[in-house]
Amino acid sequence: MPFEPINPPQFPTPIAPYSAGARAGNTVYVSGVLALGEGGAVLHVGDAAGQTRHILEVIKTTLEAAGARLEDVAMNHIFLKDFADYPVFNQVYAEYFPGAKPARYCIKVDLVKPDCLVEIASVAHIG
């Protein structure tokens, strides 16, 4: 089955060769999202809550461009630079997923840019 790349026009150019998301049938895959602005500049440096909020807004916009909503997310892949940020991350995350909670995992990793504290990739199912 062919897939449709999803690249909302308001997003900055990706820092690597990938699409913001892809829709295959009723499934939407959102690439790993970092809190990046134009030219790959890291946003909300030192602020895990600000980065998490920015990332979830980007995921929301990508899903909407593919015909999905945050409520359609079935799985989130979460990467944190430091588990000390886990409580504040969860506080913001809970605001975006107040109802049924998607499956998820969270691992500690080094991220692509040293000032990035959070990365999230999502999978949503429409219908």
Side-chain angles (χ1 to χ4, degrees):
M1 164 187 323
F3 72 91
E4 172 192 356
I6 307 298
N7 291 297
Q10 67 269 39
F11 286 2
T13 303
I15 61 170
Y18 64 88
S19 294
R23 180 172 176 171
N26 290 333
T27 303
V28 180
Y29 303 91
V30 179
S31 293
V33 179
L34 299 163
L36 300 178
E38 270 313 315
V42 178
L43 305 173
H44 309 286
V45 173
D47 179 6
Q51 287 190 14
T52 301
R53 191 171 313 286
H54 177 86
I55 288 164
L56 290 169
E57 287 295 328
V58 168
I59 290 170
K60 180 180 173 185
T61 300
T62 304
L63 290 169
E64 289 171 353
R69 305 170 307 147
L70 281 174
E71 292 85 355
D72 297 319
V73 173
M75 179 68 177
N76 281 313
H77 312 272
I78 300 159
F79 308 95
L80 296 178
K81 182 175 182 177
D82 186 340
F83 277 137
D85 292 326
Y86 191 67
V88 71
F89 166 83
N90 276 323
Q91 196 170 35
V92 174
Y93 182 91
E95 294 172 20
Y96 284 82
F97 297 99
K101 309 293 187 239
R104 74 179 214 186
Y105 63 78
C106 181
I107 60 174
K108 178 182 172 187
V109 298
D110 286 331
L111 296 171
V112 121
K113 293 196 171 216
D115 288 332
C116 290
L117 304 174
V118 179
E119 182 172 354
I120 305 173
S122 299
V123 179
H125 295 278
I126 302 169

